[in-house]
């Protein structure tokens, strides 16, 4: 196969239009922001007002396993159909958004604070402290996260707190590793040495001089991690180790549909919650990419 | 180089040691097995006999020491659920399926990711590159269990191409392997692309072109060979992702592999089996990373002196 490198002249007008379109979309991440507002933020805040039905109450036998409106036998009463207890799937997805938002925000903050602090300390002080913390990171990366989560859930019972704890347990090491790397390059610069000479304490140097310089990295990393957190939470829910039933967490909705999808009775049960997850994760990733290009261009290819 | 290898091996052992502590605590944290194993009306004497039989009456440090010594020999005791089977034996019995699944999944992701990654770099900023980007973004946003269920729905229920679960014949492995490999394709592809972009700009590539070497040979031989070093590091992480992913995939497709065994063990509070699975997974992960580190240092001499 002959592969030719497209120089600007060769690429022609079409490629120009494509790349210009990509540039425009990247300049203003309108699409991901709109998706997030529509699929995640508004449902999370206004669920009781906009959801047509109650998410948990039984919908009654006659309403069981209704297909979505465009399929045969579907009605506008249940736009995305109903599950085997007659509950409206759209309403359940809308109510589920709140849990997605709550889990991801709490995890990002808690693990961010732990990971960033340890990363700062490791990178700044170096030596045995650095070694200790980084070996710790290695240990946490070596443990199968999902098994850990399942084991914890068996003892404590599935709950919101356990989910947060488990995901933080896994996530902090990512922050620590990245921040440490940044600090290593920053701490050898002149302004750090000067701050020390003037008499600033280690604490002050870290908080006032180094932290502001890694802040962009942290913001970018946090945004890119949100998608991962949502996926992980969904996986935990799917395996029965996430937020307990009958909460309409999205992963749980997909998992509840599994049997019915496999037996060919209700594909709508798993399809739509999954689409919601994909849309939200995709939007956060796009937003993260955009932020990275804006705030932290040197990592563009990571 | 020798010093580097020794230091790395030492670290690997250290990490494994720490993992063993966590595994031990983890198993103790997941509830008392007496609750699930003995009938509710068991007398205190019966409970006592049971505790002694399993060494649960000793202090935690003592229990840990016993655990460590035995674990070193690959002995995690007998399974609680199947009392006549050793935990490691059960895990080893279930492992080939997981290994097969993981190998096919990694194979699929490499076969997809490398060509797409290389072509995206060569045809940078064209429609092809854009499609590659969209593909990668979607890949990283799709929950694997959902993808698995959707694949079952489309290909096994609606079209009836493949079985919905089980492990008979050959076709059973295709859907699970796609489910497992899908997530890795995106990451690998992006890495290949960025590594290729870097190499394509170097002088020796220009030189190769000036010498009149065919373009496809420049790209697929000269460039790809040099660009394959960074994606190599990903293999350590890939191994971990595939093993954790196997837990989910085997649950979705009801495959009797190690992942499924782990879930069963946790539900039944089968300490020895949980420990055996976690330790096996951790050993594989640490071993892969060690191998990648050493290989990396061998390929790129600068690393030996930096990291040792």
């Amino acid at each position: 196969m002959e592969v030719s490198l497209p120089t600007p002249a060769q690429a022609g007008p079409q490629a120009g239009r494509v790349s210009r379109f990509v540039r425009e979309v990247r300049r203003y991440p309108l699409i991901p922001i709109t998706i997030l507002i529509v699929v995640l933020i508004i449902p999370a805040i206004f669920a009781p007002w906009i959801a047509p039905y109650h998410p948990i109450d039984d919908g009654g036998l006659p309403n069981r396993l209704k297909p979505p409106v465009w399929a045969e036998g579907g009605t506008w009463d249940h736009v995305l159909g109903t599950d085997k207890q007659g509950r409206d799937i759209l309403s359940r997805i809308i109510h589920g958004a709140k849990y997605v938002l709550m889990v991801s925000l709490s995890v990002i903050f808690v693990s961010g604070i732990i990971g960033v602090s340890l990363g700062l300390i490791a990178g700044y002080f170096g030596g045995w402290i650095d070694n200790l913390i980084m070996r710790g990171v290695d240990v946490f990366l070596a443990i199968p996260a999902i098994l850990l989560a399942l084991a914890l859930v068996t003892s404590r019972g599935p709950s919101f707190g356990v989910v947060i704890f488990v995901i933080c347990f896994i996530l902090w090491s990512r922050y620590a590793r990245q921040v440490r790397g940044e600090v290593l390059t920053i701490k050898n610069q002149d302004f750090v040495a000067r701050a020390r000479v003037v008499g600033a304490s280690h604490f002050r140097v870290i908080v006032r001089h180094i932290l502001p310089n890694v802040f962009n990295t942290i913001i970018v990393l946090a945004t890119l991690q949100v998608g991962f957190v949502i996926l992980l939470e969904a996986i935990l829910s799917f395996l029965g180790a996430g937020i307990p039933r009958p909460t309409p967490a999205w992963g749980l909705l997909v998992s509840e549909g599994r049997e019915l999808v496999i037996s060919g009775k209700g594909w709508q049960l798993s399809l739509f919650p999954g689409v919601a997850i994909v849309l939200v994760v995709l939007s956060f990733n796009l937003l993260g990419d955009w932020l990275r290009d804006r705030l932290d261009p040197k990592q563009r290819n990571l | 180089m020798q010093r580097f290898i020794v230091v790395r091996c030492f670290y690997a052992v250290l990490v494994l040691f720490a993992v063993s502590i966590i595994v031990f605590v983890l198993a103790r944290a997941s509830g008392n097995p007496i609750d699930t194993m003995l009938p509710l009306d068991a007398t205190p004497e019966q409970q006592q006999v049971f505790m002694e039989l399993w060494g649960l009456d000793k202090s935690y440090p003592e229990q840990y020491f016993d655990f460590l010594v035995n674990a070193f020999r690959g002995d995690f005791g007998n399974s609680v659920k199947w009392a006549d089977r050793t935990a490691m034996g059960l895990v080893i019995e279930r492992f080939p399926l997981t290994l097969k699944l993981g190998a096919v999944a990694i194979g699929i992701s490499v076969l997809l990711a490398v060509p797409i990654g290389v072509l995206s770099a060569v045809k940078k900023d064209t429609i092809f590159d854009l499609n590659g980007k969209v593909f990668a973004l979607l890949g990283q946003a799709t929950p694997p269990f959902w993808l698995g269920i959707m694949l079952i729905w489309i290909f096994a229920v609606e079209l009836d191409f493949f079985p919905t679960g089980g492990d008979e014949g050959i076709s059973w492995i295709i859907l699970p392997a796609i489910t497992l490999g899908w997530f890795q394709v995106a990451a690998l592809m992006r890495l290949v692309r960025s590594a290729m972009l870097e190499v394509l700009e170097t002088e020796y590539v220009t030189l190769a072109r000036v010498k009149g070497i065919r373009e496809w040979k420049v790209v697929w031989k000269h460039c790809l060979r040099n660009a394959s070093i960074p994606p190599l590091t990903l293999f350590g992480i890939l191994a971990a992702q595939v093993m954790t992913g196997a837990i989910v995939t085997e649950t979705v497709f009801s495959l009797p592999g190690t992942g499924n065994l782990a879930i069963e063990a946790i539900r039944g509070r089968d300490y020895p089996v949980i420990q055996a699975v976690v330790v096996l997974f951790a050993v594989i992960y640490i071993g892969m990373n060690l191998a990648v580190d050493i290989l990396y240092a061998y390929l790129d001499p600068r690393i030996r002196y930096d990291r040792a």
Side-chain angles (χ1 to χ4, degrees), chain B residues 59-199:
Chain B
S59 69
Y60 282 141
E62 270 179 303
Q63 286 187 34
Y64 175 69
F65 187 74
D66 288 349
F67 164 72
L68 196 64
V69 170
N70 289 327
F72 196 69
R73 296 182 308 200
D75 176 12
F76 293 89
N78 279 11
S79 159
V80 174
K81 198 172 161 197
W82 295 279
D84 55 334
R85 305 290 312 274
T86 62
M88 213 32 160
L90 274 171
V91 173
I92 297 293
E93 185 188 296
R94 302 281 198 100
F95 193 57
L97 190 142
T98 306
L99 201 64
K100 230 186 285 173
L101 182 61
V104 177
I106 292 185
I108 289 178
S109 35
V110 170
L111 280 181
L112 271 176
V114 172
I116 300 179
V118 169
L119 287 178
S120 297
V122 172
K123 298 174 181 280
K124 192 174 173 248
D125 290 335
T126 62
I127 283 272
F128 187 89
D129 188 24
L130 183 70
N131 284 336
K133 247 178 222 158
V134 171
F135 179 68
L137 279 165
L138 277 179
Q140 285 178 323
T142 313
F145 61 90
W146 180 71
L147 180 72
I149 295 176
M150 290 299 111
L151 288 175
I152 294 180
W153 169 47
I154 297 170
F155 292 103
V157 176
E158 297 286 324
L159 300 175
D160 208 15
F161 285 164
F162 302 103
T164 52
D167 61 335
E168 281 111 41
I170 308 171
S171 60
W172 67 270
I173 207 170
I174 297 174
L175 294 184
I178 294 175
T179 307
L180 190 51
W182 178 263
F183 202 69
Q184 275 70 269
V185 173
L188 197 57
M189 197 198 100
R190 288 178 90 156
L191 213 57
V192 170
R193 179 178 177 271
S194 68
M196 277 297 285
L197 281 178
E198 225 162 81
V199 173

Side-chain angles (χ1 to χ4, degrees), chain B:
Chain B
M1 188 68 190
Q2 271 166 346
R3 194 181 116 82
F4 177 83
I5 294 178
V6 170
V7 170
R8 283 281 129 175
C9 287
F10 174 70
Y11 281 160
V13 172
L14 215 62
V15 171
L16 207 54
F17 185 68
V19 168
S20 79
I21 295 179
I22 294 183
V23 166
F24 178 79
V25 174
L26 187 95
R28 293 300 174 274
S30 57
N32 195 334
I34 289 182
D35 302 342
T36 51
M37 289 179 51
L38 290 184
L40 282 174
D41 53 354
T43 61
E45 289 81 49
Q46 283 171 325
Q47 291 192 357
Q48 189 57 36
V49 170
F50 181 83
M51 298 269 278
E52 274 166 29
L53 187 67
W54 292 95
L56 294 171
D57 54 335
K58 295 184 192 166
S59 69
Y60 282 141
E62 270 179 303
Q63 286 187 34
Y64 175 69
F65 187 74
D66 288 349
F67 164 72
L68 196 64
V69 170
N70 289 327
F72 196 69
R73 296 182 308 200
D75 176 12
F76 293 89
N78 279 11
S79 159
V80 174
K81 198 172 161 197
W82 295 279
D84 55 334
R85 305 290 312 274
T86 62
M88 213 32 160
L90 274 171
V91 173
I92 297 293
E93 185 188 296
R94 302 281 198 100
F95 193 57
L97 190 142
T98 306
L99 201 64
K100 230 186 285 173
L101 182 61
V104 177
I106 292 185
I108 289 178
S109 35
V110 170
L111 280 181
L112 271 176
V114 172
I116 300 179
V118 169
L119 287 178
S120 297
V122 172
K123 298 174 181 280
K124 192 174 173 248
D125 290 335
T126 62
I127 283 272
F128 187 89
D129 188 24
L130 183 70
N131 284 336
K133 247 178 222 158
V134 171
F135 179 68
L137 279 165
L138 277 179
Q140 285 178 323
T142 313
F145 61 90
W146 180 71
L147 180 72
I149 295 176
M150 290 299 111
L151 288 175
I152 294 180
W153 169 47
I154 297 170
F155 292 103
V157 176
E158 297 286 324
L159 300 175
D160 208 15
F161 285 164
F162 302 103
T164 52
D167 61 335
E168 281 111 41
I170 308 171
S171 60
W172 67 270
I173 207 170
I174 297 174
L175 294 184
I178 294 175
T179 307
L180 190 51
W182 178 263
F183 202 69
Q184 275 70 269
V185 173
L188 197 57
M189 197 198 100
R190 288 178 90 156
L191 213 57
V192 170
R193 179 178 177 271
S194 68
M196 277 297 285
L197 281 178
E198 225 162 81
V199 173
L200 279 168
E201 281 168 16
T202 53
E203 282 181 4
Y204 59 81
V205 172
T206 317
L207 180 71
R209 287 213 182 95
V210 169
K211 269 168 48 183
I213 297 174
R214 295 232 168 107
E215 185 62 29
W216 65 266
K217 210 171 171 186
V218 172
V219 170
W220 294 97
K221 198 173 163 204
H222 293 77
C223 295
L224 184 57
R225 187 177 282 184
N226 286 291
S228 57
I229 297 177
L232 208 62
T233 34
L234 196 71
F235 264 85
I237 303 168
L238 215 65
Q241 278 182 349
V242 164
M243 282 181 303
T244 4
I247 302 175
V248 176
T249 311
E250 285 169 14
T251 309
V252 173
F253 290 89
S254 342
L255 298 173
T258 324
N260 221 326
L261 178 72
I263 302 258
E264 277 172 43
I266 286 171
R267 299 223 166 113
R269 294 188 186 167
D270 199 342
Y271 283 175
V273 176
I274 303 173
Q275 289 171 341
V277 174
V278 177
V279 168
L280 178 74
F281 279 17
V283 166
I284 295 175
Y285 177 76
I286 293 167
M288 282 288 277
N289 273 306
L290 183 66
V292 166
D293 264 359
I294 292 173
L295 194 64
Y296 208 64
Y298 176 74
L299 291 173
D300 190 347
R302 282 169 297 182
I303 293 164
R304 283 174 226 167
Y305 305 105
D306 277 5
R307 285 210 222 152

Side-chain angles (χ1 to χ4, degrees), chain A residues 69-87:
Chain A
V69 60
W70 58 88
E72 216 182 297
T75 57
W76 278 104
D77 290 345
H78 299 283
V79 177
L80 300 183
T82 58
D83 67 6
K84 62 181 172 195
Q85 292 176 40
R87 297 176 291 198

